Amino acid sequence: MKSERGNAKEALVGDLRRHLDTWSELQPDSPVDGGTLIVNHQHKLAPDQRARQIYGRPEFVNTLTVPVVGTLDLFDWWRTKDWKAIRTAVLGAIPAADN
C-alpha cells in the first residue's frame, strides 16, 4: 500500500512491477504470482473531496498490467461488508468453490 498527499504518481505501478520482478531472488521459497497496488491518495483532503479514480490518463490506464485499487473503494466495500468485492479487487478472480 502506498500513500500520496496529492495525485498518485504513475511511477508507483513501476515500483510494484520491479518488486514483483525481483521477488524470486529475495524469497525463492515463497513464490508470488502477482500483486495489487492499493493507493491512499489525496489523504490531506476529506474523503468526500478525494477523487475516486486513481489514474485518469487513458493511455496510461490502458497499459496497466497490475490491478490498482483505491482506499475509498476498499472502505466502501468494508463498510457494506462486501467481502467478495474486496477479495476480487485484491486477489483477482475467486474460484467458484470459494464463493
Side-chain angles (χ1 to χ4, degrees):
M1 183 162 145
K2 195 69 176 167
S3 289
E4 292 287 335
R5 284 185 175 192
N7 293 329
K9 295 173 181 64
E10 292 177 356
L12 294 175
V13 175
D15 292 345
L16 175 59
R17 286 284 353 136
R18 276 187 298 286
H19 181 73
L20 292 171
D21 290 344
T22 60
W23 180 259
S24 62
E25 297 169 22
L26 300 171
Q27 297 290 330
D29 297 332
S30 300
V32 173
D33 293 332
T36 299
L37 180 61
I38 299 174
V39 180
N40 182 32
H41 70 304
Q42 302 173 333
H43 63 79
K44 293 287 185 176
L45 298 175
D48 64 338
Q49 296 176 337
R50 298 177 194 176
R52 188 166 290 276
Q53 186 174 352
I54 306 301
Y55 297 115
R57 199 168 58 90
E59 57 273 19
F60 178 72
V61 172
N62 292 336
T63 65
L64 288 173
T65 58
V66 296
V68 178
V69 178
T71 54
L72 288 177
D73 288 331
L74 283 177
F75 176 75
D76 285 345
W77 296 326
W78 173 80
R79 184 177 50 81
T80 60
K81 299 180 181 175
D82 191 346
W83 312 127
K84 184 176 180 181
I86 293 171
R87 288 181 60 199
T88 301
V90 174
L91 302 174
I94 301 168
D98 290 346
N99 285 330

